[in-house]
């Protein structure tokens, strides 16, 4: 289920976390606002997934309840490590109980801890979880991940704009229709989750493609001189 769905990528910077999702085309008469792959779990935590939407809805609701339960009990917002471990534990629980099937999705969980540090976690259907600087899941997740591995640097992590553009550029490796088929969510330190509108995404795509073309042209000229 995970490898047959649209690609999802995530990246953490010094003061920002970014989630990018390859949107599938929806029927003309369907309200696309009801098709969401990025979900807010708490004021400082959000999640994107690749896999079965119905399973994700149940898991998101369980995670939201756990976030609020933790806040009521501890009088502090949930830590990123705690909620990632909780989601992974729920998934693992469903792999060993008779009469239940595993959750058919992988998830990228991003957000900030109370000390302001940014985090990105990935959980698998088996119940494992790991922290990453940048990662991708879904049908073309390997292609997106290899691009992120090649281009992610500490200099990019230090710039909010560079982090957003790198996420867009990584998704453009597998998305053919540009900004119309990309959904972006951005969370900055101390600020609420922001889902970028289509016009903003399309503008970012145009800028990213222009920079990519300029780099390719510069490489051609350098190769010709040598």
């Amino acid at each position: 289920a995970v490898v047959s769905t649209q690609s999802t990528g995530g990246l953490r910077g010094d003061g920002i976390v970014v989630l990018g999702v390859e949107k599938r085309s929806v029927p003309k008469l369907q309200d696309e606002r009801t098709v969401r792959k990025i979900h807010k779990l708490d004021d400082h935590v959000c999640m994107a997934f690749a896999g079965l939407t119905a399973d994700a809805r149940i898991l998101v609701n369980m995670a939201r309840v756990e976030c609020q339960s933790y806040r009521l009990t501890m009088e502090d917002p949930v830590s990123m490590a705690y909620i990632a471990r909780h989601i992974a534990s729920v998934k693992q629980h469903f792999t060993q109980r008779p009469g239940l099937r595993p959750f058919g999705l992988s998830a990228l969980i991003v957000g900030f801890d109370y000390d302001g540090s940014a985090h990105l976690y990935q959980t698998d259907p088996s119940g494992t979880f790991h922290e990453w600087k940048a990662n991708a899941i879904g049908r073309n997740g390997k292609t997106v991940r290899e691009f992120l591995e090649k281009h992610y640097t500490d200099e990019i992590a230090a710039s909010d704009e560079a982090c957003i553009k790198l996420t867009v550029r990584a998704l453009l490796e597998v998305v053919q229709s540009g900004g119309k088929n990309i959904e972006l969510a951005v969370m900055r330190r101390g600020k609420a989750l922001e889902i970028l509108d289509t016009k903003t995404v399309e503008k970012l795509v145009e800028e990213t493609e222009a920079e990519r073309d300029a780099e390719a042209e510069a490489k051609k000229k350098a190769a010709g001189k040598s």
Side-chain angles (χ1 to χ4, degrees), residues 48-86:
F49 70 92
L52 301 178
T53 302
D55 286 14
R57 185 179 68 247
I58 299 300
L59 194 61
V60 165
N61 287 339
M62 294 173 74
R64 285 172 174 167
V65 169
E66 185 62 26
C67 286
Q68 297 310 307
S69 175
Y70 187 98
R71 189 182 288 269
L72 285 170
T73 304
M74 307 301 293
E75 297 184 355
D76 279 316
V78 68
S79 69
M80 291 300 303
Y82 178 89
I83 194 60
R85 184 168 59 250
H86 174 77

Side-chain angles (χ1 to χ4, degrees), residues 1 7 51 63 68 77 95 102 123 126-127 137 165 169 196 202 220:
S7 301
Q68 297 310 307
T95 66
T123 67
S126 63
I137 53 180
K165 286 188 175 181
R169 193 170 174 182
L196 303 186
E202 288 181 346
K220 282 184 180 180

Side-chain angles (χ1 to χ4, degrees), residues 80-197:
M80 291 300 303
Y82 178 89
I83 194 60
R85 184 168 59 250
H86 174 77
I87 291 172
S89 296
V90 170
K91 288 183 175 183
Q92 196 279 331
H93 177 73
F94 274 70
T95 66
Q96 62 183 23
R97 289 288 299 275
L100 300 176
R101 66 166 177 79
F103 280 92
L105 71 139
S106 286
L108 295 178
I109 306 157
V110 300
F112 292 89
D113 276 339
Y114 61 89
D115 62 355
S117 59
H119 296 276
L120 164 64
Y121 287 91
Q122 178 198 353
T123 67
D124 292 323
S126 63
T128 59
F129 74 102
H130 302 93
E131 185 169 9
W132 296 75
K133 294 179 179 178
N135 197 12
I137 53 180
R139 181 172 51 215
N140 295 306
K142 183 179 179 182
T143 301
V144 178
R145 188 185 311 113
E146 288 175 350
F147 183 89
L148 290 170
E149 288 174 351
K150 185 177 179 181
H151 293 88
Y152 183 93
T153 62
D154 291 340
E155 289 75 17
I156 285 178
S159 167
D160 291 0
E161 183 179 358
C163 287
I164 297 171
K165 286 188 175 181
L166 179 58
T167 304
V168 171
R169 193 170 174 182
L171 285 173
L172 287 175
E173 292 291 301
V174 297
V175 176
Q176 303 299 324
S177 302
K180 293 181 179 180
N181 285 345
I182 293 178
E183 182 179 0
L184 279 179
V186 174
M187 185 186 293
R188 293 177 171 87
R189 183 184 291 119
K191 296 185 179 180
L193 174 69
E194 179 185 5
I195 305 291
L196 303 186
D197 57 53

